[in-house]
Structures are given as structure tokens and as C-alpha cells.
């Protein structure tokens, strides 16, 4: 039961931060490309990679990993925005969104893991 509360607490922080970050980033770009969603997804992937490489702690992973990172990142919005780009006559931008987002998300995760290993002297 405690893990569920930790997930909820993390999500209560991650979801509003996602919304605010998305709006702040997107407002600074005059383009149809979803820079706000891209930003939160890459940052969340890097943070989750970092957390995953640390020595396992169920409470931290519940709150920060599942709750915070899960609410900060958004696969559903990524999908919707990709489909919207394709529907609105920007199929190349839609394809670029998929390619760049997946590549950067995986890269962020790898970089986060590498940073955790470097800081902790792990494997």
C-alpha cells in the first residue's frame, strides 16, 4: 500500500511539471514540431535511466521512477502529436518526430545510466 502512495505522490509532482514544461518550451518555438513533449520525454528518459542504474531502492523507484517519471513523460501525447502532424499535412515532420524522439529517448536513458555509474562507481 505504501508503494501505491509513493507512486501517487511522484505522479502528483510529475504531471503538473510535464504540463508546465511543455507549455513553456512550446511557447518558445514557432513550429508545429512538438518540442515540449520531446523535451519532457527525453528528460524523463534520462532521469529514469539514472535511477535504474542506482542501487535498487523500491521506495525511490516507486516515487521517482514509476510516479514522477511516468507522469512526466507521455507516450500518449507523443502518439497524438505524431498523428496530428501527419493528418495536418506534415508527414515528414511526423516521421522525424518518431525517429528523433525514440532515438533521443533511448540516448537519454543510456546517458542517465552512464552518469549514475560514473557517479557511484558502479559496474
Amino acid at each position: 500500500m505504501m508503494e501505491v502512495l509513493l507512486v501517487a505522490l511522484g505522479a502528483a509532482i510529475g504531471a503538473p511539471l510535464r504540463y508546465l514544461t511543455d507549455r513553456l518550451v512550446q511557447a518558445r518555438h514557432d513550429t508545429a514540431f512538438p518540442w515540449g513533449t520531446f523535451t519532457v520525454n527525453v528528460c524523463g528518459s534520462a532521469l529514469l535511466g539514472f535511477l535504474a542504474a542506482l542501487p535498487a531502492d523500491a521506495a525511490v523507484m516507486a516515487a521517482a521512477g514509476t510516479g514522477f517519471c511516468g507522469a512526466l513523460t507521455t507516450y500518449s501525447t507523443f502518439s497524438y502529436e505524431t498523428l496530428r502532424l501527419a493528418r495536418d499535412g506534415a508527414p515528414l515532420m511526423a516521421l522525424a518526430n518518431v525517429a528523433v524522439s525514440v532515438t533521443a529517448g533511448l540516448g537519454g536513458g543510456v546517458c542517465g545510466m552512464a552518469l549514475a555509474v560514473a557517479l557511484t562507481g558502479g559496474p
Side-chain angles (χ1 to χ4, degrees):
M1 182 62 169
M2 180 57 120
E3 281 188 354
V4 172
L5 294 174
L6 290 170
V7 170
L9 177 64
I13 298 167
L17 184 60
R18 171 180 39 129
Y19 175 79
L20 294 171
T21 302
D22 176 66
R23 295 295 86 210
L24 179 71
V25 170
Q26 200 60 42
R28 299 191 187 300
H29 293 85
D30 188 26
T31 177
F33 189 85
W35 287 109
T37 300
F38 174 81
T39 300
V40 295
N41 285 344
V42 173
C43 290
S45 295
L47 178 58
L48 188 57
F50 180 84
L51 294 170
L54 295 176
D57 182 87
V60 170
M61 280 307 287
T66 303
F68 182 78
C69 291
L72 178 66
T73 60
T74 173
Y75 193 75
S76 58
T77 303
F78 161 71
S79 299
Y80 164 75
E81 290 172 342
T82 301
L83 293 172
R84 180 184 46 80
L85 287 167
R87 181 197 66 209
D88 292 349
L92 292 178
M93 194 176 291
L95 212 60
N97 186 38
V98 172
V100 171
S101 293
V102 170
T103 302
L106 290 170
V110 168
C111 288
M113 291 180 120
L115 179 61
V117 169
L119 291 175
T120 63

